[in-house]
Amino acid sequence: MKLRRCQLELAARAVRQDALGEVRRIAGVDVSSSRFDPARMVHAAVVVLAWPSLEPVARAAVSLPAPMPYITGLLAFREVPAIEAALAQLPEPPDLLMVDGQGIAHPRRCGIATHLGVVTDLPSIGVAKSRLVGQPASPLGEAPGAMVEVSDRGEVVGALLRSRARANPLHISLGHRVSLDTALHWVRATLRGRRLPEPTRAAHEWAGQARRAAMAPPSDAQ
């Protein structure tokens, strides 16, 4: 399939070592959609936080028709066009992307964080809420901060991170121009007592607001 071949080509271009400069602006990226939306819109949100204050300094949201239905493993082709449009609205590019989704922890090593990182050439990290591929090397501890590497077909593709007590772990994977160790560093550094790191938490909220606003029925003019 053409899209799967494209993923393999993008994966081959992904840089798995650190190739990022000073991090002063971290962008959280998330996309919201509704299966009940007859227009099949995707609502992409980007929220930029200053480091180290984690104060919001810019945000953008774009709603576009989905170019294709949801297919497991091909999510990026559905969502990246809207994300790129949102990134283009920012006053300046961020230094690091933190994407709600997988990086190389993907059957073809090209989840949405890797796909987006390669096509924009921005350092990127995948911060997913659920597993796509891979098995942990050992059981994950219950204490906040516990971490265990995840491997798929003999290759380390990410890590499970317990970000908060009694919460399901996060699935962290490098996307592009960021090593796994550095990805874990930035996720830990941006946690503020919640399950999600602040950049993706803020993007998740903004994406939800964008979806609700776009789907709200028009008010009657008086």
Side-chain angles (χ1 to χ4, degrees):
M1 185 178 183
K2 182 179 178 181
L3 296 183
R4 291 182 172 87
R5 289 197 301 270
C6 180
Q7 287 181 322
L8 293 173
E9 293 168 1
L10 290 171
R13 291 163 51 192
V15 176
R16 300 190 182 188
Q17 296 80 35
D18 290 331
L20 67 170
E22 181 183 4
V23 175
R24 295 178 293 114
R25 298 176 305 278
I26 305 173
V29 177
D30 197 5
V31 174
S32 182
S33 60
S34 172
R35 60 182 177 169
F36 303 110
D37 179 11
R40 295 199 319 172
M41 302 293 286
V42 293
H43 310 277
V46 179
V47 179
V48 182
L49 306 184
W51 175 258
S53 69
L54 295 182
E55 291 296 320
V57 294
R59 67 180 186 174
V62 169
S63 298
L64 292 176
M68 60 181 284
Y70 170 75
I71 301 174
T72 301
L74 299 176
L75 177 69
F77 295 102
R78 175 182 167 88
E79 298 187 349
V80 163
I83 298 170
E84 288 188 286
L87 285 168
Q89 293 188 1
L90 298 176
E92 57 184 328
D95 303 308
L96 178 64
L97 300 175
M98 202 172 283
V99 184
D100 186 328
Q102 306 289 350
I104 68 166
H106 179 276
R108 289 166 293 283
R109 305 298 183 254
C110 192
I112 189 169
T114 297
H115 186 131
L116 181 64
V118 171
V119 299
T120 62
D121 198 29
L122 291 172
S124 60
I125 299 169
V127 184
K129 304 183 191 75
S130 59
R131 181 181 73 91
L132 186 57
V133 298
Q135 295 294 331
S138 61
L140 181 67
E142 294 296 328
M147 185 277 291
V148 62
E149 290 184 344
V150 172
S151 296
D152 178 55
R153 290 172 285 166
E155 177 183 17
V156 175
V157 295
L160 291 181
L161 176 66
R162 184 83 66 189
S163 57
R164 191 175 71 172
R166 296 180 298 279
N168 290 331
L170 298 176
H171 298 251
I172 311 301
S173 55
L174 64 96
H176 177 56
R177 294 176 53 186
V178 180
S179 67
L180 180 58
D181 285 346
T182 297
L184 286 164
H185 162 78
W186 281 111
V187 172
R188 288 179 173 127
T190 53
L191 288 170
R192 293 296 183 270
R194 306 185 190 217
R195 184 191 178 203
L196 297 180
E198 289 300 294
T200 54
R201 186 186 69 81
H204 177 76
E205 291 183 355
W206 183 225
Q209 290 180 37
R211 174 180 52 79
R212 289 188 292 272
M215 295 184 66
S219 57
D220 294 334
Q222 299 295 327

